[in-house]
Amino acid sequence: MTATGRASGDGSGLRVEGLSKTFSSRAGELRILDGIDLELQRGETLAVVGPSGSGKSTLLHIIGTLDRPTDGRVRIGGVDPFGLSEPELARFRNRTIGFVFQDHHLLPQLTVIENVLVPALASREPVDLGDESVEDRARRLLDRVGLTARRDHVPAEISGGERQRAAIARSLVLGPELLLCDEPTGNLDRGTAGAVGDLLMEVHREERTMLVVVTHSAELAGRCDRRAELDGGRLRW
């Protein structure tokens, strides 16, 4: 077993090596992440827990290529995303990574199915999903998350749990390899949070994504294959 919390992989999947992030402040440099190593293979799940302010969201944003590390490397499916040009990185992120945030971030003026299709609309090139069109996949995912009857509603017309289920469908519409979830049940009541957690794990297994969940929920973390605590800038397995 390595410091990444698993046996060394074959270079595919997600690989993070020596990842550090430093911010400048009036008091000097503030190191949020300090030499993070982790590996994840297709079909595996990882929960990252830790106190507020420990850098969990920062770690997720860097893995998701929404932020850049100060030091270290990230490889997803053998690709170094930070070696890509900005247009190439945007395309890579759109097709390879799905995001579910604590706030669903649905566009209020769009219907549920239109929100699910946003990643496809943002793509600058045709989306090839094999035998299935992106529209058919969006409808199938909404059926899977129990929103068949809500497809033509706008977000204000559905519940918080339904909005998060729509966000899960949106995150999966382009068939990403990596699914990143930042407190996906944090704004939900206990019962709804449990149902959304059930759904998240079920669709992850069906789609065989790599799943990384940042959460304060011991229940959700306990359902992942592995769990790591982020504290003092380091992951403790």
Side-chain angles (χ1 to χ4, degrees), residues 60 98-101 179-184 200 211-215:
L60 209 66
F99 297 92
V100 181
F101 297 102
L179 184 58
L180 303 177
C181 301
D182 193 352
E183 296 288 359
L200 187 61
L211 173 63
V212 181
V213 180
V214 161
T215 183

Side-chain angles (χ1 to χ4, degrees), residues 85-100:
S85 68
E86 286 301 324
E88 290 170 336
L89 177 58
R91 286 193 293 271
F92 177 83
R93 182 191 302 122
N94 190 43
R95 291 306 307 270
T96 309
I97 306 171
F99 297 92
V100 181

Side-chain angles (χ1 to χ4, degrees), residues 137-237:
R137 180 171 172 83
R139 284 190 285 269
R140 179 170 64 80
L141 285 168
L142 284 175
D143 292 345
R144 176 64 190 82
V145 301
L147 292 178
T148 303
R150 297 285 191 261
R151 288 190 308 206
D152 297 321
H153 290 65
V154 295
E157 297 172 333
I158 61 178
S159 70
E162 289 171 330
R163 291 172 201 161
Q164 199 64 313
R165 283 190 270 156
I168 293 171
R170 179 186 58 194
S171 74
L172 294 168
V173 73
L174 297 186
E177 297 177 31
L178 176 62
L179 184 58
L180 303 177
C181 301
D182 193 352
E183 296 288 359
T185 61
N187 283 342
L188 305 175
D189 64 76
R190 184 172 181 178
T192 304
V196 168
D198 289 343
L199 175 64
L200 187 61
M201 292 299 169
E202 289 167 9
V203 296
H204 150 72
R205 286 193 294 268
E206 292 164 7
E207 298 289 328
R208 283 195 56 77
T209 61
M210 296 176 284
L211 173 63
V212 181
V213 180
V214 161
T215 183
H216 283 103
S217 168
E219 180 180 356
L220 182 57
R223 302 184 63 174
C224 293
D225 299 323
R226 289 182 289 138
R227 168 177 167 156
E229 181 179 6
L230 183 58
D231 193 17
R234 295 181 175 272
L235 280 180
R236 308 185 191 282
W237 300 91

Side-chain angles (χ1 to χ4, degrees), residues 109-130:
Q109 71 274 26
L110 299 184
T111 64
V112 166
I113 193 165
E114 288 169 342
N115 268 287
V116 171
L117 286 167
V118 162
L121 299 174
S123 178
R124 296 188 177 183
E125 53 193 37
V127 176
D128 183 7
L129 296 176

